[in-house]
Each structure stands twice: as C-alpha cells, then as structure tokens.
Amino acid sequence: MPEPKGELDTIEPHAAAPLPREAEIRAAQDLLFFAYRDFTNAADVLLGEIGLGRAHHRALHFIGRNPGMAVGDLLNILRITKQSLARVLNALVEQGYVAQTQGRADRRQRLLSLTETGQALERRLYDRQRERLFSAYRDAGATAVDGFRRVMRGIMDETARAYMDHGDAAWPKTR
C-alpha cells in the first residue's frame, strides 16, 4: 500500500539527512508519548504517595533549578494559567516544600525557593528519573545522545532553546 502524501513530502531534506517518511514521524510521535509516560511514571509513584502530581513536580524542578525565581518567570516557563499555578504553589507552600519571599525591588513580587524539605523531595524525584536517563544514555552511546539532544532542541521553541543555552539568564525576567 503506498504511503499517503503529506506535508512532509514537501519539505526539503537537510543535506546530511534523508527526508523522514510519514511512518517514521508517526513512530517518533509514539516514541515520545511512550518515553514521556515511562519517564514521568518513575516520579509519579513517589508523587502519588504524598498527594502531589506532575504539575507539582514541574514546579519543584524549575524552582530548584532557579532558586529565587519570580512567580511570573515560573508561569512563563510552565505556560499554565495563574489559577492553576496558584493551586500548585499553595499546596507546595502548605506542605513545606516551597518558600515565598517578597521581591527586593518590588515588594508585590513573590520569589520562590525550595525549602530543605523541598530540596530533598526534588532530589528524590530527580534520582528516580536520573536512573532511567542514565541507563538509556549508556545503552545508546554518545553519538545517539547527541542526536537525541538535537532532535529535542528542534522540537522546542526558541525561548526554550535559549533557556537551555543560558539557563535562567536567558529567560525573560519579571524580577
């Protein structure tokens, strides 16, 4: 059966890489979905035990990577509504994982940091996912890891790539 024509057939291939077929793109999509499911499940079990979910995990991750970040910066990274973030942050603050302080220049601003308990939880979550990534990286080898990074960067938008290149320094500030 012939492969259906789609927009991929009109894209010019990169000089060093052949043009992917529709079936390869569908398979890549499946791979991303299954990898995400299994990668997040490594942390989901622990999160479920303490009544938290993936949104809490994402907040813990980025607050841990950017201590003292403004709530607005976290909103920009996570791209969720203020209402959703408020629910997540309230739970994390109430359970003692996140501390909020007033901004230095603007006292209306809330700056976020992990408490010692929050740092310990974030580390436990990281350790669970690190094992899965470490094993996959080891099995794939350096060339495949480089290719994986290139593909992931190609999927990200420009602001995410800038964040990855420069960390918190690249993200638009609300501090």
Side-chain angles (χ1 to χ4, degrees):
M1 178 173 198
E3 194 168 305
K5 294 277 186 194
E7 64 181 61
L8 292 174
D9 297 318
T10 62
I11 299 172
E12 288 296 318
H14 185 274
L19 181 65
R21 297 194 165 293
E22 188 76 23
E24 291 170 328
I25 296 299
R26 286 287 186 182
Q29 189 177 29
D30 291 345
L31 287 167
L32 285 167
F33 283 132
F34 284 123
Y36 177 75
R37 179 198 67 190
D38 296 342
F39 177 72
T40 55
N41 187 59
D44 284 347
V45 174
L46 175 58
L47 290 163
E49 291 171 2
I50 58 175
L52 299 177
R54 291 180 184 168
H56 300 95
H57 184 198
R58 287 189 298 272
L60 288 166
H61 171 80
F62 284 106
I63 295 167
R65 300 276 290 160
N66 304 284
M69 78 183 314
V71 171
D73 292 337
L74 186 57
L75 270 170
N76 288 335
I77 290 172
L78 297 178
R79 293 187 181 164
I80 61 176
T81 66
K82 288 180 183 180
Q83 184 178 14
S84 294
L85 184 58
R87 281 193 298 268
V88 167
L89 288 178
N90 286 338
L92 294 173
V93 169
E94 287 172 10
Q95 293 183 34
Y97 298 118
V98 170
Q100 298 181 87
T101 57
Q102 288 182 335
R104 296 160 201 76
D106 183 349
R107 297 178 65 85
R108 295 171 298 175
Q109 213 169 32
R110 292 183 299 155
L111 304 178
L112 306 169
S113 297
L114 297 181
T115 62
E116 285 186 30
T117 305
Q119 289 173 10
L121 173 58
E122 193 281 329
R123 183 64 196 202
R124 288 177 61 205
L125 294 166
Y126 167 75
D127 286 344
R128 290 191 178 202
Q129 291 182 323
R130 178 181 49 89
E131 290 304 318
R132 186 169 283 277
L133 282 172
F134 181 80
S135 175
Y137 275 23
R138 183 190 60 233
D139 293 348
T143 302
V145 169
D146 182 60
F148 166 75
R149 288 182 180 145
R150 290 173 186 261
V151 169
M152 296 303 286
R153 288 179 60 81
I155 294 170
M156 290 181 227
D157 70 14
E158 187 57 41
T159 57
R161 284 192 296 272
Y163 176 89
M164 293 303 300
D165 291 343
H166 306 290
D168 188 42
W171 207 262
K173 298 289 182 268
T174 58
R175 281 183 228 186

